[in-house]
Amino acid sequence: MDLAAAEPLFVGRGAELAVLDRAAQAARAGRMGVVLVEGKAGVGKTPCCGGG
């Protein structure tokens, strides 16, 4: 999934979504890594990461 294409759902988060997209691409290519997504409750962390 191209997370950067989801930007209209996450206004102003294009750069952050691009980071997640690159991390997902790296994982699919077999490279390990860690991404920390943090923020206050209700700011959209779960949908931003493809959940719920």
Side-chain angles (χ1 to χ4, degrees), residues 20 35-39 45 48-49:
L20 287 175
V35 176
L36 173 65
V37 178
E38 64 179 345
K45 297 176 301 292
C48 184
C49 294

Side-chain angles (χ1 to χ4, degrees), residues 4-21:
E7 186 174 1
L9 299 174
F10 301 100
V11 176
R13 297 289 184 214
E16 292 85 351
L17 291 171
V19 169
L20 287 175
D21 195 43

